[in-house]
Amino acid sequence: MTEQPKFEPIRGTRGADDPGPRNLPLDLQNPDITLPPETDNGSLPNLKFPFAMAHNRLEDGGWAREVTVRELPVATSMAGVNMRLGPGVVRELHWHKEAEWAYILEGTARLTVVDPDGNLSIDDLKPGDVWLIPAGIPHSIQGMEEGTEFLLVFDDGNFSENETLLITEYLAHTPPSVLAKNFGVTSDHFADIPKAEKYIFRLPVPKSLDLVRAELPDSPIPRPYVFHTTEIEVVRYSGGTVKTIDSRNFPVTTLSALIIEIEPGGMREMHWHPDADEWQYYIAGEARMTVFDATSKARTFNYRAGDVGFVPRTLGHYIENTGETPVKVINVFNNRLCIDISLNRWMALTPPDLIRGHLSLDETVMKALRRSRDAVVR
Ligand code: CO
Ligand code: CO
């Protein structure tokens, strides 16, 4: 018999052992839920949902799963999709009522978008690349030689990947005589169109971008829908790095994002966002976050690669690396600009007597307050 690791919900004289029934692997992944810090208090909504617990829709050559308001009820403002497309596999031509923000995780994705002025955006996107498709703009995605995996974030928690407007369904639900008139041909030409959606399906890997572009008008979209994060500098802090993608460097975007790396021992400092909810996707590592709300409410959650986190606007939070390896996490905000209030800088810029009068801090703490930003501390 293998020995079970000892982990009991006991803190000092509080708590008691858990003789079972018990899902120990989940307890061990969520130690701050099973054995909360003493500072946790009151009730907060659930702020975590792993993609591993989201229904996975398996299709011909790919899959898609989503974390929406149905999985994570607090997240009314944003929903996310994790999608895999094998080599050549296509996510059908479609559009939707929501804006779509994307981040490439693996492989290469070919994104094809046509804007309202008839301009064309066609690009092969690599890990770290981002796109923003405004609501209603038609597009498709195709896996290149090695396939692709990516994250999508939509600006409405009610979004469903299963309820987008699809080119197959639009044609299937239009009278053939209307199709004939629309395209200027006879209706018998539409006898073989699919009766139902294709959604995700296999095609051969397409020709190289240069060959495909050569066959199409050269009319790039003036305000690009794609953004290469490799082209922007990371900002280095004492405990890690941050890349900011918002309307200042990506003018078309209506959602902004931070790509954060936190070294072992490091922590995204205590802060909040005055004007946006924060939708998180953990790419690597293990972390914890405490979210603070009015009337002394605080709850701590644990996250690891593949998990989704959420922070309602204005609520205080930090992200602490609790593992031995770097944490990489994406924060997406439902606002064009990324802004936050740093607790440390707020205190550093407030008259010291006012701060001392509130918190009875000694001179060591008062001297440690920083007027300059250290967004990831250690
Ligand atoms: Co889409
Ligand atoms: Co934040």
Side-chain angles (χ1 to χ4, degrees), residues 12 19 22 48 53 65 73 93 112 134 143 149 186 193 250-252 263 295 302 365 367:
R22 192 171 184 191
K48 169 181 177 171
M53 286 175 65
R65 50 191 177 175
L93 285 156
T112 307
E149 182 181 349
T186 52
I193 60 168
F250 187 26
V252 77
E263 292 159 11
T295 61
N302 304 99
V365 185
K367 282 206 180 77

Side-chain angles (χ1 to χ4, degrees), residues 94 96 100 139 154:
H94 71 285
H96 24 73
E100 170 183 304
H139 54 286
F154 298 86

Side-chain angles (χ1 to χ4, degrees), residues 115-345:
D115 82 356
D117 297 323
N119 299 310
L120 170 70
S121 170
I122 177 163
D123 286 284
D124 286 349
L125 300 171
K126 299 282 188 191
D129 287 344
V130 164
W131 72 67
L132 187 288
I133 313 288
I137 300 297
H139 54 286
S140 71
I141 311 159
Q142 189 167 18
M144 298 304 288
E145 284 80 1
E146 69 278 47
T148 184
E149 182 181 349
F150 48 88
L151 175 77
L152 305 173
V153 180
F154 298 86
D155 61 359
D156 185 344
N158 255 308
F159 172 85
S160 175
E161 177 61 22
N162 306 314
E163 295 173 10
T164 61
L165 293 93
L166 301 170
I167 194 170
T168 52
E169 294 187 334
Y170 192 26
L171 266 65
H173 296 282
T174 301
S177 62
V178 172
L179 293 178
K181 191 174 286 182
N182 191 68
F183 294 104
V185 298
T186 52
S187 57
D188 53 303
H189 291 285
F190 298 99
D192 295 330
I193 60 168
K195 299 279 184 286
E197 65 171 7
K198 292 196 137 180
Y199 183 54
I200 288 175
F201 62 101
R202 290 178 206 270
L203 280 183
V205 173
K207 288 182 282 190
S208 77
L209 207 48
D210 291 343
L211 290 174
V212 171
R213 278 182 174 152
E215 294 167 358
L216 291 162
D218 183 18
S219 59
I221 290 171
R223 290 212 309 177
Y225 292 152
V226 303
F227 184 82
H228 303 283
T229 52
T230 47
E231 289 171 11
I232 53 169
E233 293 287 315
V234 297
V235 180
R236 201 160 286 283
Y237 298 101
S238 64
T241 63
V242 177
K243 274 189 180 185
T244 303
I245 307 157
D246 68 13
S247 58
R248 286 169 285 203
N249 52 17
F250 187 26
V252 77
T253 202
T254 50
L255 295 163
S256 54
L258 300 177
I259 315 294
I260 304 169
E261 291 205 30
I262 309 166
E263 292 159 11
M267 184 177 90
R268 170 78 173 101
E269 67 164 344
M270 295 166 75
H271 69 281
W272 61 94
H273 305 276
D275 63 352
D277 294 336
E278 174 175 320
W279 199 94
Q280 305 174 337
Y281 177 72
Y282 288 82
I283 294 180
E286 292 177 34
R288 72 169 181 171
M289 170 170 80
T290 303
V291 174
F292 164 72
D293 196 0
T295 61
S296 293
K297 291 198 281 275
R299 189 166 291 182
T300 306
F301 297 85
N302 304 99
Y303 302 92
R304 59 181 56 215
D307 289 349
V308 171
F310 190 81
V311 187
R313 70 182 58 204
T314 71
L315 302 196
H317 57 288
Y318 64 84
I319 303 171
E320 182 182 23
N321 186 335
T322 52
E324 309 293 318
T325 56
V327 164
K328 187 167 182 184
V329 58
I330 297 177
N331 294 174
V332 181
F333 304 94
N334 58 336
N335 200 303
R336 289 166 191 279
L337 286 175
C338 271
I339 59 167
D340 65 52
I341 301 291
S342 154
L343 172 68
N344 197 328
R345 190 164 62 177

